[in-house]
Coordinates of all heavy atoms in Angstrom, one line a residue:
M156 N -175.5 -81.5 -173.1 CA -176.4 -82.1 -174.1 C -177.2 -83.3 -173.4 O -176.6 -84.1 -172.7 CB -175.6 -82.7 -175.3 CG -176.4 -83.4 -176.3 SD -175.6 -83.8 -177.8 CE -174.4 -85.0 -177.4
G157 N -178.5 -83.3 -173.6 CA -179.3 -84.3 -173.0 C -179.6 -85.4 -174.0 O -179.2 -85.4 -175.2
L158 N -180.4 -86.4 -173.5 CA -180.7 -87.5 -174.4 C -181.5 -87.2 -175.6 O -181.3 -87.7 -176.7 CB -181.5 -88.6 -173.5 CG -181.6 -89.9 -174.2 CD1 -180.3 -90.6 -174.4 CD2 -182.5 -90.8 -173.2
A159 N -182.4 -86.2 -175.5 CA -183.2 -85.8 -176.7 C -182.2 -85.3 -177.8 O -182.4 -85.6 -179.0 CB -184.1 -84.7 -176.3
D160 N -181.2 -84.5 -177.5 CA -180.3 -84.0 -178.4 C -179.4 -85.2 -179.0 O -179.1 -85.3 -180.2 CB -179.4 -82.9 -177.8 CG -180.1 -81.7 -177.5 OD1 -181.1 -81.3 -178.2 OD2 -179.8 -81.1 -176.5
A161 N -178.9 -86.0 -178.1 CA -178.1 -87.1 -178.5 C -178.8 -88.1 -179.4 O -178.1 -88.7 -180.3 CB -177.5 -87.9 -177.3
L162 N -180.1 -88.3 -179.2 CA -180.8 -89.2 -180.0 C -181.8 -88.5 -181.0 O -182.8 -89.1 -181.3 CB -181.6 -90.2 -179.1 CG -180.7 -91.1 -178.2 CD1 -181.6 -92.0 -177.4 CD2 -179.7 -91.9 -179.0
A163 N -181.4 -87.4 -181.4 CA -182.2 -86.6 -182.4 C -182.4 -87.3 -183.7 O -183.4 -87.2 -184.4 CB -181.7 -85.2 -182.6
E164 N -181.4 -88.1 -184.1 CA -181.4 -88.9 -185.3 C -181.4 -90.4 -184.9 O -181.0 -90.7 -183.8 CB -180.2 -88.6 -186.2 CG -180.0 -87.1 -186.6 CD -181.2 -86.6 -187.5 OE1 -181.6 -87.5 -188.3 OE2 -181.6 -85.5 -187.4
W165 N -181.8 -91.2 -185.9 CA -181.7 -92.7 -185.6 C -180.3 -93.1 -185.2 O -179.3 -92.7 -185.9 CB -182.1 -93.5 -186.9 CG -183.6 -93.4 -187.2 CD1 -184.2 -92.7 -188.2 CD2 -184.6 -94.0 -186.4 NE1 -185.6 -92.9 -188.1 CE2 -185.9 -93.7 -187.1 CE3 -184.6 -94.9 -185.3 CZ2 -187.1 -94.2 -186.6 CZ3 -185.9 -95.3 -184.8 CH2 -187.1 -95.0 -185.5
T166 N -180.2 -93.8 -184.1 CA -178.9 -94.2 -183.5 C -179.0 -95.7 -183.2 O -179.9 -96.2 -182.7 CB -178.7 -93.4 -182.2 OG1 -178.8 -92.0 -182.5 CG2 -177.3 -93.7 -181.6
D167 N -177.9 -96.4 -183.6 CA -177.9 -97.9 -183.3 C -177.9 -98.1 -181.8 O -177.6 -97.3 -181.0 CB -176.8 -98.6 -184.0 CG -175.4 -98.2 -183.5 OD1 -175.2 -98.2 -182.2 OD2 -174.5 -98.0 -184.3
V168 N -178.3 -99.3 -181.5 CA -178.5 -99.7 -180.1 C -177.3 -99.5 -179.2 O -177.4 -99.0 -178.1 CB -179.1 -101.2 -180.0 CG1 -178.0 -102.2 -180.4 CG2 -179.5 -101.4 -178.5
D169 N -176.1 -99.8 -179.7 CA -174.9 -99.5 -178.9 C -174.7 -98.1 -178.6 O -174.4 -97.7 -177.5 CB -173.7 -100.1 -179.7 CG -173.7 -101.5 -179.9 OD1 -174.4 -102.3 -179.2 OD2 -173.0 -102.0 -180.8
G170 N -174.9 -97.2 -179.7 CA -174.7 -95.8 -179.5 C -175.8 -95.2 -178.6 O -175.6 -94.3 -177.7
A171 N -177.0 -95.7 -178.7 CA -178.1 -95.3 -177.8 C -177.9 -95.7 -176.4 O -178.1 -94.9 -175.5 CB -179.4 -95.8 -178.3
Q172 N -177.4 -96.9 -176.2 CA -177.0 -97.3 -174.8 C -175.9 -96.4 -174.2 O -176.0 -96.0 -173.0 CB -176.6 -98.7 -174.8 CG -177.6 -99.8 -175.0 CD -177.1 -101.2 -175.0 OE1 -176.4 -101.5 -176.0 NE2 -177.3 -101.9 -174.0
Y173 N -175.0 -96.1 -175.0 CA -173.9 -95.2 -174.6 C -174.4 -93.8 -174.2 O -174.1 -93.3 -173.1 CB -172.8 -95.1 -175.7 CG -171.7 -94.1 -175.3 CD1 -170.8 -94.4 -174.3 CD2 -171.6 -92.9 -176.0 CE1 -169.8 -93.5 -174.0 CE2 -170.6 -92.0 -175.7 CZ -169.7 -92.3 -174.7 OH -168.7 -91.4 -174.4
E174 N -175.3 -93.3 -175.0 CA -175.8 -91.9 -174.8 C -176.7 -91.9 -173.6 O -176.7 -91.0 -172.8 CB -176.6 -91.4 -176.0 CG -175.7 -91.1 -177.2 CD -174.6 -90.1 -176.9 OE1 -174.6 -89.3 -176.0 OE2 -173.6 -90.1 -177.7
L175 N -177.5 -93.0 -173.4 CA -178.3 -93.1 -172.1 C -177.4 -93.2 -170.9 O -177.6 -92.5 -169.9 CB -179.2 -94.3 -172.2 CG -180.1 -94.6 -171.0 CD1 -181.0 -93.4 -170.7 CD2 -180.9 -95.8 -171.3
G176 N -176.4 -94.0 -171.0 CA -175.4 -94.1 -169.9 C -174.7 -92.8 -169.6 O -174.5 -92.4 -168.4
R177 N -174.4 -92.0 -170.6 CA -173.8 -90.7 -170.4 C -174.8 -89.8 -169.7 O -174.4 -89.0 -168.9 CB -173.3 -90.1 -171.7 CG -172.0 -90.7 -172.2 CD -171.6 -90.0 -173.5 NE -172.0 -88.6 -173.4 CZ -171.3 -87.6 -174.0 NH1 -170.3 -87.9 -174.8 NH2 -171.7 -86.4 -173.9
T178 N -176.0 -89.8 -170.2 CA -177.0 -88.9 -169.7 C -177.2 -89.1 -168.2 O -177.5 -88.2 -167.4 CB -178.4 -89.1 -170.4 OG1 -178.1 -88.8 -171.8 CG2 -179.5 -88.2 -169.9
V179 N -177.2 -90.4 -167.7 CA -177.4 -90.6 -166.3 C -176.1 -90.6 -165.5 O -176.0 -90.9 -164.3 CB -178.1 -91.9 -166.0 CG1 -179.5 -91.9 -166.7 CG2 -177.4 -93.2 -166.5
G180 N -175.0 -90.3 -166.2 CA -173.7 -90.1 -165.5 C -172.8 -91.3 -165.4 O -171.8 -91.2 -164.7
L181 N -173.1 -92.4 -166.0 CA -172.3 -93.6 -165.9 C -171.0 -93.4 -166.7 O -169.9 -94.0 -166.3 CB -173.0 -94.8 -166.5 CG -174.3 -95.2 -165.7 CD1 -175.0 -96.3 -166.5 CD2 -173.9 -95.7 -164.3
F182 N -171.0 -92.8 -167.8 CA -169.8 -92.7 -168.7 C -169.3 -91.3 -168.9 O -168.8 -90.9 -170.0 CB -170.1 -93.3 -170.1 CG -170.8 -94.7 -170.0 CD1 -171.9 -94.9 -170.7 CD2 -170.2 -95.7 -169.3 CE1 -172.5 -96.2 -170.7 CE2 -170.8 -96.9 -169.2 CZ -172.0 -97.2 -169.9
A183 N -169.5 -90.4 -167.9 CA -169.2 -89.0 -168.0 C -167.8 -88.7 -168.6 O -167.7 -87.8 -169.4 CB -169.4 -88.3 -166.7
D184 N -166.8 -89.4 -168.2 CA -165.4 -89.1 -168.6 C -164.9 -90.2 -169.5 O -163.6 -90.3 -169.6 CB -164.6 -88.9 -167.3 CG -165.0 -87.7 -166.5 OD1 -165.5 -86.8 -167.1 OD2 -164.8 -87.8 -165.3
R185 N -165.7 -91.0 -170.1 CA -165.2 -92.1 -170.9 C -165.8 -92.0 -172.3 O -166.9 -91.7 -172.5 CB -165.6 -93.4 -170.3 CG -165.0 -93.5 -168.9 CD -165.2 -94.8 -168.3 NE -164.6 -94.7 -166.9 CZ -164.4 -95.8 -166.2 NH1 -164.8 -96.9 -166.6 NH2 -163.9 -95.6 -165.0
T186 N -164.9 -92.4 -173.3 CA -165.4 -92.5 -174.7 C -166.1 -93.8 -174.9 O -166.0 -94.8 -174.1 CB -164.2 -92.4 -175.6 OG1 -163.4 -93.7 -175.5 CG2 -163.3 -91.2 -175.4
F187 N -166.8 -93.9 -176.0 CA -167.5 -95.1 -176.4 C -166.6 -96.3 -176.4 O -166.9 -97.3 -175.9 CB -168.2 -94.9 -177.8 CG -168.8 -96.2 -178.2 CD1 -170.1 -96.5 -177.8 CD2 -168.2 -97.0 -179.1 CE1 -170.7 -97.7 -178.3 CE2 -168.7 -98.2 -179.6 CZ -170.0 -98.6 -179.1
F188 N -165.4 -96.1 -177.0 CA -164.4 -97.2 -177.1 C -163.9 -97.7 -175.8 O -163.5 -98.8 -175.7 CB -163.3 -96.8 -178.1 CG -163.9 -96.6 -179.5 CD1 -164.0 -95.3 -180.0 CD2 -164.3 -97.7 -180.2 CE1 -164.5 -95.2 -181.3 CE2 -164.8 -97.5 -181.5 CZ -164.9 -96.2 -182.0
Q189 N -163.9 -96.8 -174.8 CA -163.4 -97.2 -173.5 C -164.4 -98.1 -172.7 O -164.0 -98.9 -171.9 CB -163.1 -96.0 -172.6 CG -161.9 -95.2 -173.0 CD -161.7 -93.9 -172.3 OE1 -162.6 -93.2 -172.1 NE2 -160.5 -93.7 -171.8
V190 N -165.7 -98.0 -173.1 CA -166.7 -98.8 -172.4 C -167.5 -99.7 -173.4 O -168.6 -100.2 -173.0 CB -167.7 -97.8 -171.7 CG1 -167.0 -97.1 -170.6 CG2 -168.4 -96.9 -172.6
K191 N -167.0 -99.9 -174.6 CA -167.8 -100.7 -175.6 C -168.0 -102.1 -175.1 O -169.0 -102.7 -175.5 CB -167.1 -100.7 -176.9 CG -165.8 -101.5 -177.0 CD -165.1 -101.4 -178.3 CE -163.8 -102.1 -178.3 NZ -163.2 -102.0 -179.6
W192 N -167.2 -102.6 -174.2 CA -167.4 -104.0 -173.6 C -168.8 -104.1 -173.0 O -169.4 -105.1 -173.0 CB -166.3 -104.3 -172.6 CG -166.4 -103.5 -171.4 CD1 -165.7 -102.3 -171.2 CD2 -167.2 -103.8 -170.2 NE1 -166.0 -101.9 -169.9 CE2 -166.9 -102.7 -169.3 CE3 -168.1 -104.8 -169.8 CZ2 -167.5 -102.6 -168.1 CZ3 -168.6 -104.7 -168.6 CH2 -168.4 -103.6 -167.7
V193 N -169.3 -102.9 -172.4 CA -170.7 -102.9 -171.8 C -171.7 -103.3 -172.8 O -172.7 -104.0 -172.5 CB -171.0 -101.5 -171.2 CG1 -172.4 -101.5 -170.7 CG2 -170.0 -101.2 -170.1
F194 N -171.6 -102.9 -174.1 CA -172.6 -103.1 -175.1 C -172.3 -104.4 -175.9 O -173.3 -104.9 -176.5 CB -172.6 -101.9 -176.0 CG -172.5 -100.6 -175.3 CD1 -171.3 -99.8 -175.6 CD2 -173.4 -100.2 -174.3 CE1 -171.2 -98.6 -174.9 CE2 -173.2 -99.0 -173.6 CZ -172.1 -98.2 -173.9
W195 N -171.1 -104.8 -175.9 CA -170.7 -105.9 -176.8 C -170.5 -107.2 -176.1 O -170.1 -108.2 -176.6 CB -169.4 -105.6 -177.5 CG -169.6 -104.5 -178.5 CD1 -170.7 -103.7 -178.8 CD2 -168.6 -103.9 -179.4 NE1 -170.4 -102.8 -179.7 CE2 -169.1 -102.9 -180.1 CE3 -167.2 -104.3 -179.6 CZ2 -168.4 -102.2 -181.1 CZ3 -166.5 -103.5 -180.5 CH2 -167.1 -102.5 -181.2
S196 N -171.0 -107.3 -174.8 CA -170.9 -108.5 -174.0 C -172.2 -108.7 -173.2 O -172.9 -107.7 -173.0 CB -169.6 -108.5 -173.1 OG -169.7 -107.6 -172.1
N197 N -172.4 -109.9 -172.7 CA -173.6 -110.1 -171.9 C -173.2 -109.8 -170.5 O -172.5 -110.5 -169.8 CB -174.0 -111.6 -172.1 CG -175.3 -111.9 -171.4 OD1 -176.0 -111.0 -170.9 ND2 -175.6 -113.2 -171.2
N198 N -173.8 -108.7 -170.0 CA -173.6 -108.3 -168.6 C -174.8 -107.5 -168.1 O -175.6 -107.0 -168.8 CB -172.3 -107.4 -168.5 CG -172.4 -106.2 -169.3 OD1 -173.0 -105.2 -168.8 ND2 -171.9 -106.1 -170.5
P199 N -174.9 -107.4 -166.7 CA -176.1 -106.7 -166.2 C -176.2 -105.2 -166.5 O -177.3 -104.8 -166.8 CB -175.9 -106.9 -164.7 CG -175.0 -108.1 -164.5 CD -174.1 -108.0 -165.7
L200 N -175.1 -104.5 -166.6 CA -175.2 -103.1 -167.0 C -175.7 -102.9 -168.4 O -176.6 -102.1 -168.6 CB -173.9 -102.4 -166.8 CG -173.8 -100.9 -167.1 CD1 -174.9 -100.1 -166.3 CD2 -172.4 -100.4 -166.8
G201 N -175.1 -103.6 -169.4 CA -175.6 -103.5 -170.7 C -177.0 -103.9 -170.9 O -177.8 -103.2 -171.6
Q202 N -177.4 -105.0 -170.2 CA -178.8 -105.4 -170.3 C -179.8 -104.4 -169.7 O -180.8 -104.1 -170.2 CB -179.0 -106.7 -169.6 CG -180.4 -107.3 -169.8 CD -180.7 -107.6 -171.3 OE1 -179.9 -108.2 -172.0 NE2 -181.8 -107.0 -171.8
A203 N -179.3 -103.8 -168.6 CA -180.2 -102.7 -168.0 C -180.4 -101.5 -168.9 O -181.5 -101.0 -169.0 CB -179.6 -102.3 -166.6
L204 N -179.3 -101.1 -169.5 CA -179.4 -100.0 -170.4 C -180.3 -100.3 -171.6 O -181.1 -99.5 -172.0 CB -178.0 -99.5 -170.9 CG -177.1 -98.9 -169.9 CD1 -175.7 -98.8 -170.4 CD2 -177.7 -97.5 -169.5
C205 N -180.2 -101.5 -172.1 CA -181.1 -101.9 -173.2 C -182.5 -102.0 -172.8 O -183.4 -101.5 -173.5 CB -180.6 -103.3 -173.8 SG -181.4 -103.7 -175.3
D206 N -182.8 -102.5 -171.6 CA -184.1 -102.6 -171.0 C -184.7 -101.2 -170.8 O -185.9 -100.9 -171.1 CB -184.1 -103.3 -169.7 CG -183.9 -104.8 -169.9 OD1 -183.9 -105.3 -171.0 OD2 -183.6 -105.5 -168.8
M207 N -183.9 -100.2 -170.4 CA -184.3 -98.9 -170.2 C -184.7 -98.2 -171.5 O -185.7 -97.5 -171.6 CB -183.2 -98.0 -169.5 CG -183.0 -98.4 -168.0 SD -181.6 -97.7 -167.3 CE -182.0 -95.9 -167.4
L208 N -183.9 -98.5 -172.6 CA -184.3 -97.9 -173.9 C -185.6 -98.4 -174.3 O -186.5 -97.7 -174.8 CB -183.2 -98.3 -174.9 CG -181.9 -97.5 -174.8 CD1 -180.9 -98.1 -175.7 CD2 -182.1 -96.0 -175.1
H209 N -185.9 -99.7 -174.1 CA -187.2 -100.3 -174.6 C -188.3 -99.8 -173.7 O -189.4 -99.7 -174.1 CB -187.1 -101.8 -174.6 CG -186.3 -102.3 -175.8 ND1 -186.8 -102.3 -177.1 CD2 -185.1 -102.8 -175.9 CE1 -186.0 -102.8 -177.9 NE2 -184.8 -103.1 -177.3
A210 N -188.0 -99.6 -172.4 CA -189.0 -99.0 -171.5 C -189.4 -97.6 -172.0 O -190.6 -97.2 -171.9 CB -188.5 -99.0 -170.1
L211 N -188.4 -96.8 -172.4 CA -188.7 -95.5 -173.0 C -189.5 -95.5 -174.3 O -190.3 -94.7 -174.5 CB -187.4 -94.7 -173.1 CG -186.7 -94.3 -171.8 CD1 -185.3 -93.7 -172.1 CD2 -187.6 -93.3 -171.1
V212 N -189.3 -96.6 -175.1 CA -190.1 -96.8 -176.3 C -191.6 -97.1 -175.8 O -192.5 -96.4 -176.3 CB -189.6 -97.9 -177.1 CG1 -190.6 -98.3 -178.2 CG2 -188.2 -97.6 -177.7
K213 N -191.7 -98.0 -174.9 CA -193.1 -98.3 -174.4 C -193.8 -97.1 -173.8 O -195.0 -97.0 -173.9 CB -192.9 -99.5 -173.4 CG -194.3 -100.0 -172.9 CD -194.1 -101.2 -172.0 CE -195.4 -101.7 -171.6 NZ -195.3 -102.9 -170.7
A214 N -193.0 -96.3 -173.1 CA -193.6 -95.1 -172.6 C -193.9 -94.0 -173.6 O -194.5 -92.9 -173.2 CB -192.7 -94.5 -171.5
G215 N -193.5 -94.2 -174.8 CA -193.7 -93.2 -175.9 C -192.7 -92.1 -176.0 O -193.0 -91.1 -176.7
V216 N -191.6 -92.2 -175.3 CA -190.5 -91.2 -175.4 C -189.6 -91.4 -176.6 O -189.2 -90.4 -177.2 CB -189.7 -91.2 -174.1 CG1 -188.6 -90.2 -174.1 CG2 -190.7 -90.9 -172.9
L217 N -189.3 -92.6 -176.9 CA -188.4 -93.0 -178.0 C -189.2 -93.7 -179.1 O -190.1 -94.4 -178.8 CB -187.2 -93.8 -177.5 CG -186.3 -93.3 -176.5 CD1 -185.2 -94.3 -176.2 CD2 -185.6 -92.0 -177.0
D218 N -188.7 -93.6 -180.3 CA -189.1 -94.4 -181.5 C -188.1 -95.5 -181.6 O -186.9 -95.4 -181.2 CB -189.1 -93.6 -182.8 CG -190.2 -92.6 -182.9 OD1 -191.3 -93.0 -182.5 OD2 -190.0 -91.6 -183.5
Y219 N -188.5 -96.7 -182.1 CA -187.6 -97.8 -182.3 C -187.9 -98.4 -183.7 O -189.1 -98.5 -184.1 CB -187.9 -98.9 -181.2 CG -187.2 -100.2 -181.5 CD1 -185.9 -100.4 -181.2 CD2 -187.9 -101.3 -182.0 CE1 -185.3 -101.6 -181.4 CE2 -187.3 -102.5 -182.2 CZ -186.0 -102.6 -181.9 OH -185.3 -103.8 -182.1
R220 N -186.9 -98.9 -184.3 CA -187.0 -99.7 -185.6 C -185.9 -100.7 -185.5 O -184.8 -100.5 -185.1 CB -186.9 -98.8 -186.8 CG -185.6 -98.2 -187.1 CD -185.6 -97.4 -188.4 NE -184.3 -96.8 -188.7 CZ -184.2 -95.9 -189.6 NH1 -185.2 -95.4 -190.3 NH2 -182.9 -95.4 -189.8
D221 N -186.3 -101.9 -186.0 CA -185.3 -103.1 -185.9 C -184.5 -103.2 -187.2 O -183.5 -103.9 -187.2 CB -186.0 -104.4 -185.6 CG -187.1 -104.8 -186.5 OD1 -187.4 -104.0 -187.5 OD2 -187.7 -105.8 -186.3
E222 N -184.9 -102.5 -188.3 CA -184.1 -102.5 -189.5 C -183.7 -101.1 -189.9 O -184.6 -100.3 -190.0 CB -184.9 -103.2 -190.6 CG -185.1 -104.7 -190.4 CD -183.9 -105.5 -190.4 OE1 -182.9 -105.2 -191.2 OE2 -183.9 -106.6 -189.8
P223 N -182.5 -100.8 -190.2 CA -181.3 -101.6 -190.0 C -180.8 -101.5 -188.6 O -180.8 -100.4 -188.0 CB -180.3 -101.1 -191.0 CG -180.7 -99.6 -191.1 CD -182.2 -99.6 -190.9
D224 N -180.3 -102.5 -188.0 CA -179.4 -102.5 -186.8 C -180.1 -102.1 -185.5 O -179.4 -101.5 -184.7 CB -178.2 -101.6 -187.0 CG -177.4 -102.0 -188.2 OD1 -177.3 -103.3 -188.4 OD2 -176.8 -101.2 -188.9
N225 N -181.3 -102.3 -185.3 CA -182.0 -101.9 -184.0 C -181.6 -100.5 -183.6 O -180.6 -100.3 -182.9 CB -181.6 -102.9 -182.9 CG -182.0 -104.3 -183.1 OD1 -183.2 -104.5 -183.5 ND2 -181.2 -105.3 -183.0
Q226 N -182.4 -99.6 -184.0 CA -182.1 -98.2 -183.8 C -183.2 -97.5 -183.0 O -184.4 -97.9 -183.0 CB -182.0 -97.5 -185.2 CG -180.9 -98.0 -186.0 CD -180.8 -97.3 -187.4 OE1 -181.8 -96.8 -187.9 NE2 -179.6 -97.3 -187.9
F227 N -182.8 -96.4 -182.3 CA -183.6 -95.6 -181.5 C -183.5 -94.1 -181.9 O -182.4 -93.7 -182.3 CB -183.2 -95.7 -180.0 CG -183.4 -97.1 -179.5 CD1 -182.4 -98.1 -179.6 CD2 -184.6 -97.5 -178.8 CE1 -182.6 -99.4 -179.1 CE2 -184.8 -98.8 -178.3 CZ -183.8 -99.7 -178.5
R228 N -184.6 -93.4 -181.6 CA -184.4 -91.9 -181.7 C -185.5 -91.3 -180.8 O -186.5 -91.9 -180.5 CB -184.6 -91.4 -183.2 CG -186.0 -91.5 -183.7 CD -186.2 -90.8 -185.0 NE -187.6 -91.0 -185.5 CZ -188.0 -90.8 -186.7 NH1 -187.2 -90.4 -187.6 NH2 -189.2 -91.0 -187.0
W229 N -185.2 -90.0 -180.4 CA -186.2 -89.3 -179.6 C -187.4 -89.0 -180.4 O -187.3 -88.6 -181.6 CB -185.5 -88.0 -179.1 CG -186.2 -87.3 -178.1 CD1 -187.1 -86.3 -178.2 CD2 -186.2 -87.6 -176.7 NE1 -187.6 -85.9 -177.0 CE2 -187.0 -86.7 -176.0 CE3 -185.5 -88.5 -175.9 CZ2 -187.2 -86.7 -174.6 CZ3 -185.6 -88.5 -174.5 CH2 -186.5 -87.6 -173.9
K230 N -188.6 -89.2 -179.8 CA -189.8 -88.8 -180.5 C -190.0 -87.3 -180.5 O -189.8 -86.7 -179.4 CB -191.0 -89.4 -179.7 CG -191.4 -90.8 -180.3 CD -192.8 -91.1 -179.8 CE -193.2 -92.3 -180.6 NZ -194.5 -92.8 -180.2
T231 N -190.4 -86.8 -181.6 CA -190.5 -85.3 -181.6 C -191.7 -84.8 -180.8 O -191.6 -83.7 -180.3 CB -190.8 -84.8 -183.1 OG1 -191.9 -85.6 -183.6 CG2 -189.5 -85.1 -183.9
A232 N -192.7 -85.6 -180.6 CA -193.8 -85.2 -179.7 C -193.9 -86.2 -178.5 O -194.7 -87.1 -178.5 CB -195.1 -85.2 -180.5
A233 N -192.9 -86.1 -177.6 CA -192.9 -87.0 -176.5 C -194.1 -86.8 -175.6 O -194.7 -85.7 -175.5 CB -191.6 -86.7 -175.7
P234 N -194.5 -87.8 -174.8 CA -195.7 -87.7 -174.0 C -195.6 -86.6 -172.9 O -196.6 -86.3 -172.3 CB -195.9 -89.1 -173.4 CG -194.5 -89.7 -173.5 CD -193.9 -89.1 -174.7
L235 N -194.4 -86.2 -172.6 CA -194.3 -85.1 -171.6 C -194.9 -83.8 -172.0 O -195.2 -83.0 -171.2 CB -192.8 -84.9 -171.3 CG -192.0 -86.1 -170.8 CD1 -190.5 -85.8 -170.7 CD2 -192.6 -86.6 -169.5
D236 N -195.2 -83.7 -173.3 CA -195.7 -82.4 -173.8 C -197.2 -82.4 -173.7 O -197.9 -81.4 -173.9 CB -195.4 -82.3 -175.3 CG -193.9 -82.2 -175.5 OD1 -193.2 -81.7 -174.6 OD2 -193.4 -82.6 -176.6
G237 N -197.9 -83.5 -173.3 CA -199.3 -83.6 -173.3 C -199.9 -83.3 -171.9 O -199.2 -83.2 -170.9
P238 N -201.2 -83.2 -171.9 CA -201.9 -82.8 -170.6 C -202.2 -84.1 -169.8 O -203.0 -84.0 -168.9 CB -203.2 -82.2 -171.1 CG -203.5 -82.9 -172.4 CD -202.1 -83.2 -173.0
T239 N -201.5 -85.2 -170.0 CA -201.9 -86.4 -169.3 C -201.1 -86.6 -168.0 O -201.2 -87.7 -167.4 CB -201.7 -87.6 -170.2 OG1 -200.3 -87.7 -170.7 CG2 -202.6 -87.5 -171.4
A240 N -200.3 -85.7 -167.7 CA -199.4 -85.8 -166.5 C -200.3 -86.0 -165.2 O -201.3 -85.3 -165.1 CB -198.5 -84.7 -166.3
D241 N -200.0 -86.9 -164.3 CA -200.7 -87.2 -163.1 C -200.2 -86.2 -162.0 O -199.1 -86.4 -161.5 CB -200.5 -88.6 -162.7 CG -201.3 -89.0 -161.5 OD1 -202.0 -88.1 -160.9 OD2 -201.4 -90.2 -161.2
P242 N -201.0 -85.2 -161.6 CA -200.5 -84.3 -160.6 C -200.4 -84.9 -159.2 O -199.8 -84.3 -158.3 CB -201.6 -83.2 -160.6 CG -202.9 -83.9 -161.1 CD -202.4 -85.0 -162.1
S243 N -200.9 -86.1 -159.0 CA -200.7 -86.7 -157.7 C -199.3 -87.3 -157.4 O -199.0 -87.7 -156.3 CB -201.8 -87.9 -157.5 OG -201.5 -88.9 -158.4
W244 N -198.5 -87.3 -158.4 CA -197.1 -87.8 -158.2 C -196.4 -86.8 -157.4 O -195.6 -86.5 -157.0 CB -196.4 -88.1 -159.6 CG -196.9 -89.3 -160.2 CD1 -198.1 -89.9 -160.0 CD2 -196.3 -90.1 -161.2 NE1 -198.2 -91.0 -160.8 CE2 -197.1 -91.1 -161.6 CE3 -195.0 -90.0 -161.8 CZ2 -196.8 -92.1 -162.5 CZ3 -194.7 -90.9 -162.7 CH2 -195.5 -92.0 -163.1

C-alpha cells in the first residue's frame, strides 16, 4: 500500500506522519504505538516528517485542513497527472 492509499481519507497529522514514515521504510515493522513518541515529542525525525507533509501540500500532492486536528489527504488530481513534468530532470 502506498501513501495515496494510506491517505485516501482525511488523516490527522500523527497518522499522516506515520504513513509517510512507513512509505519511505522508516517504520516497516513497527506499529503506530511503538513509534508514537516520534509524533508526540519535539525531535528532528518528527519535525522532518511534518515538514515533508507540508512540502507535499505546497507541491499540490496533498490537501490540508487545520480543523479538526490538522489533517492531510491525497489529492485526487495530483500534479503528477498533468503535462507539466520537466523532461530535463
Side-chain angles (χ1 to χ4, degrees):
M156 177 167 72
L158 190 60
D160 294 326
L162 299 181
E164 301 295 325
W165 286 109
T166 305
D167 68 43
V168 66
D169 298 338
Q172 286 176 288
Y173 175 70
E174 294 301 341
L175 177 58
R177 282 182 37 150
T178 300
V179 299
L181 295 173
F182 310 130
D184 297 329
R185 298 183 183 192
T186 68
F187 174 84
F188 294 106
Q189 290 173 312
V190 295
K191 69 181 179 182
W192 67 268
V193 172
F194 322 116
W195 294 2
S196 65
N197 186 12
N198 64 81
L200 179 55
Q202 188 59 53
L204 289 168
C205 190
D206 291 346
M207 289 171 63
L208 288 171
H209 285 285
L211 290 171
V212 170
K213 185 175 180 181
V216 175
L217 297 178
D218 286 324
Y219 170 77
R220 68 180 181 191
D221 58 358
E222 293 293 330
D224 301 327
N225 297 313
Q226 297 179 335
F227 296 86
R228 74 173 173 192
W229 192 263
K230 267 195 168 179
T231 55
L235 301 174
D236 299 331
T239 59
D241 182 355
S243 65
W244 285 24

